[in-house]
Amino acid sequence: MKLSTRSRYGTRMVLDIAMHETDGPVRISDISSRQGISVKYLEKLIRPLKQAGYVTSKRGPRGGHRLSRSAKDITVGEVVRLLEGELILTECAMDPSVCTIAQD
């Protein structure tokens, strides 16, 4: 399976925050510099991560982003599903009743 740029960059951002949050909140501009991803794109990705409760933000001169829970409790699959929506290969995977070759 190929992941979209959105998912790849989103997981890289979560990993970057996990690796650098011990120094305090992580700024988007710092993630951008380290990961080679534009600030504008990262700002789009951070919104759903905050809304889903994976990331918290702090404003101000010492502001930035932190993970809301331990990095070991966040899976790549969770981040991908959040950023991509539910990934299914066929309708049968979600609803076997729509599949004409599914066994009863």
Side-chain angles (χ1 to χ4, degrees):
M1 175 195 304
K2 281 181 111 174
L3 295 177
S4 70
T5 301
R6 182 175 171 88
S7 293
R8 288 193 324 270
Y9 287 2
T11 54
R12 285 171 53 187
M13 179 167 50
V14 170
L15 180 60
D16 191 282
I17 293 170
M19 292 172 62
H20 295 96
E21 71 180 352
T22 55
D23 302 328
V26 181
R27 297 182 348 211
I28 292 280
S29 59
D30 293 337
I31 298 170
S32 175
S33 296
R34 286 189 292 264
Q35 298 296 323
I37 304 169
S38 77
V39 169
K40 195 168 190 125
Y41 200 83
L42 291 173
E43 287 171 344
K44 288 181 184 179
L45 295 177
I46 200 74
R47 285 184 200 111
L49 291 167
K50 285 170 42 177
Q51 290 170 345
Y54 290 102
V55 175
T56 58
S57 298
K58 180 181 175 186
R59 294 181 144 216
R62 295 199 176 258
H65 305 282
R66 290 183 174 272
L67 297 181
S68 299
R69 58 185 200 215
S70 173
K72 68 181 179 181
D73 295 330
I74 300 173
T75 68
V76 171
E78 288 175 326
V79 175
V80 169
R81 278 189 292 279
L82 172 69
L83 297 174
E84 293 296 325
E86 195 62 39
L87 299 173
I88 57 171
L89 298 176
T90 67
E91 287 182 329
C92 296
M94 288 297 289
D95 184 3
S97 68
V98 300
C99 189
T100 59
I101 59 171
Q103 293 182 351
D104 295 318

